[in-house]
């Protein structure tokens, strides 16, 4: 059996995760940003009832103060499962991971919400490599006990806060021919700079992002600015046609990839608990290459002109934040009069 395997959603189902929980014999450690899926809640309760030690760490709220995971917390706790909110040392814990019996670990981009299995492009890498599993366990125990976690310079995985920005920047710098990047947000200037430099040295860079109207108003300027900077140097910016993009995936030269929870934004690198994994496994990379080309074929170029942005931003419930972009509204009116 391969030491690592890949799950792609919605093509794959939640069955692989549910079955892993059902097959647990000794312990389960889960760290999750959002958790509401009934099948997974029931699977964890069943595991507890058959004697598996189950510990769950949930993010308590978003940056805007919106409280989440309350009902799931109550259901799990009522079943006798140990549940704690994530380490308050971080603005929020965005990591999505699970360790089964100290032997198998899931590193994911997806939350445990039903829509993430059925409506969004998302990914998970399953690893049985001992050093990777052990690293996730060490971080879980540190966060559980509110202790510092420092995997050091020899860290196998990609962590935030920690080595995240450096590892992803170096990954981009090492690209020689092609880069496919799927991410919700492109706001970190170090990473944008690296993508620009990759394009300028001849790497074919394909960026897939969420449309600007999905950005929070306080992140609109940097989000749109990052996309426009990349487009100005010839990087193609697309959006998915039929799926919501939630996955965070980088694929370089069709031979290595990064998958995890990290958005390409300063907050993710500097303030959040995040986790990603770099893989070189031929079978995983081959499947990711196929899905990257499939998604690119089934996507639209993003219109980042003033008129295109104003069209897109009309979908926002309010106009707040749009004026900060200093868009040419007269040009937009002329465009629509034509």
């Amino acid at each position: 059996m391969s030491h690592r395997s890949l799950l792609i959603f919605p093509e794959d189902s939640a069955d692989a995760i549910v079955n892993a929980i059902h097959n647990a014999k000794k312990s389960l450690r889960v760290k999750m940003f959002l958790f509401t899926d009934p099948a997974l809640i029931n699977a964890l309760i069943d595991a507890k009832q058959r004697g598996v030690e189950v510990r769950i760490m949930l993010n308590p709220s978003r940056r805007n103060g919106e409280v989440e995971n309350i009902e799931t917390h109550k259901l799990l706790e009522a079943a006798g499962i140990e549940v704690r909110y994530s380490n308050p040392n971080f603005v929020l814990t965005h990591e999505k991971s699970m360790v089964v019996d100290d032997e198998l670990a899931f590193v994911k981009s997806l939350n445990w919400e039903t829509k993430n299995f059925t409506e969004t492009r998302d990914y998970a890498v399953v690893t049985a490599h001992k050093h990777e599993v052990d690293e996730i366990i060490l971080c879980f125990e540190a966060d559980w006990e509110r202790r510092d976690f420092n995997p050091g310079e020899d860290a196998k995985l990609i962590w935030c806060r920690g080595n995240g920005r450096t590892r992803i920047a170096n990954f981009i710098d090492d690209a020689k021919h092609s880069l496919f990047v799927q991410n919700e947000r492109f706001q970190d200037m170090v990473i944008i700079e690296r993508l620009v430099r990759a394009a300028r040295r001849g790497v074919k860079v394909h960026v897939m992002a969420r449309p600007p109207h999905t950005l929070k108003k306080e992140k609109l300027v940097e989000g749109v600015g990052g996309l426009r900077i990349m487009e100005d140097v010839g990087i193609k910016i697309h959006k998915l046609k039929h799926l919501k993009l939630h996955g965070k995936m980088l694929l370089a030269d069709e031979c290595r990839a990064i998958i995890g929870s990290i958005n390409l934004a300063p907050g993710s690198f500097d303030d959040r608990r995040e986790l990603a994994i770099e893989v070189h496994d031929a079978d995983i990379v081959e499947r990711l290459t196929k899905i990257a080309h499939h998604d690119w074929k089934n996507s639209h170029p993003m219109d980042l002109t003033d008129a295109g942005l104003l069209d897109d931003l009309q979908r926002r419930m309010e106009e707040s934040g749009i004026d900060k972009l200093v868009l040419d509204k007269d040009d937009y009116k002329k465009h629509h009069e034509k």
Side-chain angles (χ1 to χ4, degrees):
M1 188 177 85
S2 173
H3 285 294
R4 297 191 191 95
S5 59
L6 175 70
L7 299 172
I8 299 177
F9 301 95
E11 283 79 357
D12 297 327
S13 70
D15 289 351
I17 298 173
V18 172
N19 290 339
I21 295 171
H22 285 327
N23 292 330
K25 296 176 175 61
K26 299 181 297 181
S27 65
L28 286 162
R29 294 176 178 86
V30 176
K31 197 185 293 184
M32 190 55 55
F33 179 56
L34 296 173
F35 184 8
T36 59
D37 184 74
L40 288 163
I41 292 171
N42 291 333
L44 290 173
I45 291 173
D46 288 345
K48 175 64 179 177
Q49 290 174 345
R50 67 174 184 269
V52 176
E53 180 192 24
V54 182
R55 288 187 289 161
I56 314 292
M57 214 177 310
L58 299 173
N59 187 71
S61 62
R62 292 180 183 260
R63 290 185 68 176
N64 63 6
E66 181 183 351
V67 179
E68 294 169 316
N69 297 316
I70 294 176
E71 290 305 314
T72 301
H73 192 294
K74 289 178 180 177
L75 286 169
L76 296 173
E77 202 167 47
I81 293 173
E82 285 190 86
V83 187
R84 292 187 184 178
Y85 285 126
S86 50
N87 191 341
N89 188 37
F90 298 91
V91 169
L92 56 81
T93 289
H94 197 238
E95 176 187 344
K96 304 102 166 35
S97 66
M98 178 173 73
V99 179
V100 182
D101 292 337
D102 298 347
E103 296 174 353
L104 192 71
F106 289 67
V107 178
K108 295 165 284 188
S109 69
L110 67 151
N111 293 300
W112 278 4
E113 295 196 292
T114 305
K115 66 181 180 181
N116 288 114
F117 298 106
T118 59
E119 300 175 14
T120 68
R121 168 63 70 228
D122 263 305
Y123 303 94
V125 171
V126 188
T127 177
H129 281 264
K130 187 177 187 307
H131 49 266
E132 293 169 349
V133 176
D134 288 349
E135 208 166 279
I136 296 171
I137 292 172
L138 284 172
C139 181
F140 184 97
E141 295 300 332
D143 284 349
W144 187 265
E145 300 294 339
R146 305 327 196 210
R147 291 184 279 103
D148 288 340
F149 167 71
N150 182 2
E153 294 182 2
D154 297 327
K156 304 299 180 183
L157 300 172
I158 302 171
W159 295 98
C160 300
R161 295 186 297 253
N163 62 3
R165 184 182 279 110
T166 299
R167 286 284 299 272
I168 291 176
N170 290 343
F171 180 92
I172 295 168
D173 288 347
D174 289 339
K176 295 176 175 58
H177 309 293
S178 66
L179 269 171
F180 283 88
V181 186
Q182 293 183 347
N183 205 280
E184 287 183 276
R185 293 189 280 145
F186 292 79
Q187 296 166 351
D188 188 80
M189 291 311 299
V190 172
I191 301 304
I192 290 168
E193 174 198 16
R194 290 317 207 277
L195 290 170
V196 166
R197 289 186 176 190
R200 293 185 68 178
R201 68 174 181 269
V203 177
K204 292 182 179 179
V205 182
H206 300 76
V207 165
M208 193 165 287
R210 295 276 298 279
H213 75 265
T214 64
L215 295 170
K216 295 177 181 178
K217 62 182 181 181
E218 64 270 18
K219 299 296 182 182
L220 191 58
V221 172
E222 58 188 306
V224 169
L227 295 176
R228 280 182 147 184
I229 287 168
M230 291 188 290
E231 185 184 58
D232 285 346
V233 297
I235 294 175
K236 295 179 180 179
I237 314 291
H238 279 211
K239 58 183 178 181
L240 271 173
K241 283 183 183 178
H242 306 300
L243 288 173
K244 178 181 177 182
L245 177 63
H246 184 260
K248 299 90 172 69
M249 185 270 284
L250 296 92
L251 173 67
D253 300 326
E254 300 187 356
C255 67
R256 55 198 177 89
I258 289 176
I259 284 173
S261 67
I262 305 171
N263 284 309
L264 303 179
S268 293
F269 290 123
D270 301 326
D271 299 322
R272 300 182 177 191
R273 169 67 79 210
E274 305 270 13
L275 171 62
I277 184 171
E278 182 173 344
V279 295
H280 300 248
D281 310 64
D283 55 339
I284 292 178
V285 171
E286 181 181 2
R287 191 175 179 207
L288 281 174
T289 299
K290 289 179 180 177
I291 207 71
H293 285 281
H294 171 273
D295 284 355
W296 194 255
K297 185 178 179 180
N298 291 279
S299 65
H300 291 297
M302 198 177 292
D303 187 350
L304 295 172
T305 65
D306 282 9
L309 286 169
L310 283 164
D311 260 339
D312 178 79
L313 292 168
Q314 298 307 317
R315 304 182 191 187
R316 296 174 73 92
M317 296 301 293
E318 55 176 61
E319 290 267 341
S320 179
I322 297 177
D323 288 340
K324 293 181 180 179
L325 292 174
V326 197
L327 301 177
D328 189 340
K329 294 186 179 182
D330 290 334
D331 186 57
Y332 170 73
K333 291 176 184 176
K334 291 176 185 177
H335 173 80
H336 279 273
E337 285 171 0
K338 291 179 183 179

